[in-house]
Every structure is written in structure tokens, then in C-alpha cells.
Amino acid sequence: MPAIEMAERAGVQLTGGSAESEDRIVVLPNAVVLLDGATQLEPGRHTGGWYAERLGDRLRRELTAQPDIDLAELLAACISQVAADHGLEPGKAPSSTVALLRWDDERVDALVLADSPVVAFTVGDVHVLSDTRLANLAVPRRTGYRDQLREGAGFSTGHADALRASATEVGQWRNRQGGFWVAEADPDAAKQAMRASWMRDQVQAIVMASDGVSCGVDDYGVFADWTALYDQAVQDGLHTVLDAVRKAEESDPDGRKWPRPKRHDDQSLVVVHFDDDWFPRF
């Protein structure tokens, strides 16, 4: 079995203060699942963490019962079952990103739905499997809260209101053609996931991350690329990667430089080492 390392850290509430992480990691003998539940902006409704917990449990069961099933079919069945179990309706349910990794003696398969990337380090190359449809969504009001942050409003009550207005607008494009796709209550979303496969003897390591970590590469420039992030994880430990991202955010406490929904998001990072010669160097 490959060596698997994990690091997790909770973020904060929208206007600050401690919060429980809504990320979930599931580890099986031949698979890893990373889920990032979306922050619930409406009081009294099920949270993204609640949903990620239940979807993760269902994925654990089905990956164990059907280890060779197509990953998109697996995800669709699990989304459908969670929705049926809890009476969830498309467009009104909590949601979560999905990053799935599964391997056998010959292949390594990956699936990504929404913004939790999987990065494969193979012999002589790096492959980034990401879903950028939400990031690239062109919605006029979506920039409202970002503009307020750039102008110095900070993570105040007004920020929460602006973020809620943005989420209402963006939500109209959830699980729609021309919009973005995420695990929620519509199993057809699984068919829109990004997929990749590699021969196992070519894979040296896999990195999986929630966007609270991938922002260190994609947005903040803390790491020049995924190779730099991976090198730091191996040399100094996974938690130092989380520390570096958090330090960047602390240098921008009001979100002026990097407008974002929260001052600190939940962070989850997984490194799967397939290279038999790998050993910790820290």
C-alpha cells in the first residue's frame, strides 16, 4: 500500500471566530476521498460539512463494496442515495467538492468535481487535474463582495451580506450547462466531473488539496507551482504547507490583496507516495 500523509486545519467563520472544518478525508486501502463542504450562508439549514460527512460515508461503503466500479457511476449513485436518505432537493441542498483517487496494481484513477484538485507526479512530468468552471464563471454580481474587500470594508457584517447576494446569483448556475458542477442532490453532476488515469508504475506521488491549500499555488503565489508545494511537504512536513498559506492570509487580514470569502478557509492536504524508494526527509 502507498504511504499516505494528511494534514488538516479548520478555518474561521465569515466574520471571524473559530469554526469546525467542513472538509472531510476518507482513506481506504485502495482509495482516498477528499471533500470540501460549501459554507452554508442561510441559518438553520444543513451545512456543507454535514453533507460532506454523509457523502463521504456513502463513498466509503460503495468503494469497499464495489472496488472496480467506474468512478463517475460510483459518485452518481452516492449522490443519489444521500439525497434519497435525507430528502434533499436539487438547488436547495448543501453541496461539496469531490476529489477521488483510486488505484490497483496497474492503474491510478482520479476524479475531480469542483475546486479540489488532484495533482499527479509521474516520471518526468506533473499533471494537474482541476475543475476551474466555478472560478471562470462570468456572473456580474459575483465581484460585489470582492470589490468591497478591495476598498477596505474588511470581513464585516456587510461582507456577509454581500457574499450572500453573490452566492444567490452564482447558485443559479449550479449544476447547469454553461455554469459549474458540484456534488449536491443531482446525480447527473457526477457525469460532468474531470477524469484522469495513469499507469501505476509511472506514478511517484499524488497530491490532493482543498481550495484552502490550493490557493497557495493558484492565488497567493506562496508556491511557484505544485512541485514547489510538494517539495516543501516532503522536506519540511505537510503542516508547514498549511502554515505558509495561513501566513500569507495573515499578511492580508482585510482581504484587500486577495479578496476571498473568509479570512481563513478550511485546509486539507493529502500526499500519497507511490514510489517505493520514498522516505521522509524531515
Side-chain angles (χ1 to χ4, degrees):
M1 179 177 175
I4 300 173
E5 297 185 285
M6 298 176 288
E8 300 177 81
R9 180 176 297 159
V12 298
Q13 298 178 19
L14 288 178
T15 56
S18 60
E20 293 184 4
S21 177
E22 297 193 89
D23 292 357
R24 299 292 187 273
I25 298 173
V26 176
V27 177
L28 297 168
N30 70 324
V32 177
V33 182
L34 189 153
L35 306 170
D36 179 357
T39 299
Q40 177 57 260
L41 300 175
E42 300 298 332
R45 296 189 178 182
H46 289 309
T47 66
W50 176 92
Y51 178 75
E53 182 76 25
R54 282 148 186 81
L55 182 59
D57 285 345
R58 178 57 60 177
L59 286 164
R60 182 197 303 274
R61 293 185 207 175
E62 296 306 319
L63 280 164
T64 301
Q66 305 182 74
D68 299 321
I69 189 175
D70 177 83
L71 291 182
E73 291 181 14
L74 167 81
L75 179 57
C78 291
I79 290 173
S80 181
Q81 189 62 58
V82 172
D85 288 346
H86 301 283
L88 304 180
E89 299 179 35
K92 301 178 181 180
S95 63
S96 175
T97 72
V98 180
L100 265 171
L101 183 71
R102 184 184 61 193
W103 59 87
D104 57 24
D105 292 339
E106 296 182 356
R107 289 161 45 101
V108 177
D109 298 321
L111 176 151
V112 166
L113 185 63
D115 51 351
S116 292
V118 172
V119 183
F121 294 84
T122 62
V123 177
D125 209 350
V126 179
H127 311 266
V128 181
L129 180 63
S130 61
D131 183 348
T132 61
R133 287 170 290 194
L134 177 57
N136 294 333
L137 188 65
V139 177
R141 286 182 59 186
R142 187 169 181 253
T143 61
Y145 78 90
R146 297 178 188 274
D147 289 342
Q148 287 188 188
L149 288 170
R150 290 190 186 98
E151 293 166 3
F155 295 96
S156 61
T157 301
H159 168 71
D161 292 339
L163 188 62
R164 193 172 291 110
S166 175
T168 299
E169 184 72 18
V170 171
Q172 299 177 28
W173 293 93
R174 181 186 296 114
N175 292 345
R176 283 180 53 186
Q177 291 294 340
F180 68 100
W181 302 86
V182 67
E184 188 223 27
D186 182 359
D188 285 343
K191 300 175 184 177
Q192 306 296 327
M194 304 300 181
R195 308 280 297 274
S197 294
W198 306 275
M199 299 305 296
R200 177 164 174 169
D201 61 6
Q202 294 295 301
V203 178
Q204 298 173 316
I206 299 282
V207 170
M208 307 171 71
S210 64
D211 64 348
V213 176
S214 64
C215 60
V217 176
D218 297 334
D219 301 318
Y220 306 160
V222 174
F223 304 100
D225 52 28
W226 285 98
T227 299
L229 183 150
Y230 172 68
D231 286 346
Q232 176 157 332
V234 171
Q235 293 168 11
D236 300 320
L238 273 65
H239 277 93
T240 70
V241 173
L242 275 54
D243 291 342
V245 173
R246 190 60 55 91
K247 183 177 180 180
E249 292 171 341
E250 289 171 348
S251 75
D252 181 39
D254 294 325
R256 288 194 182 197
K257 184 176 182 181
W258 298 303
R260 53 198 187 271
K262 302 178 188 177
R263 183 175 285 115
H264 303 302
D265 200 358
D266 299 330
Q267 296 176 301
S268 292
L269 177 63
V270 179
V271 179
V272 184
H273 303 276
F274 287 89
D275 189 341
D276 291 338
D277 295 329
W278 175 84
F279 59 94
R281 297 199 295 269
F282 51 86

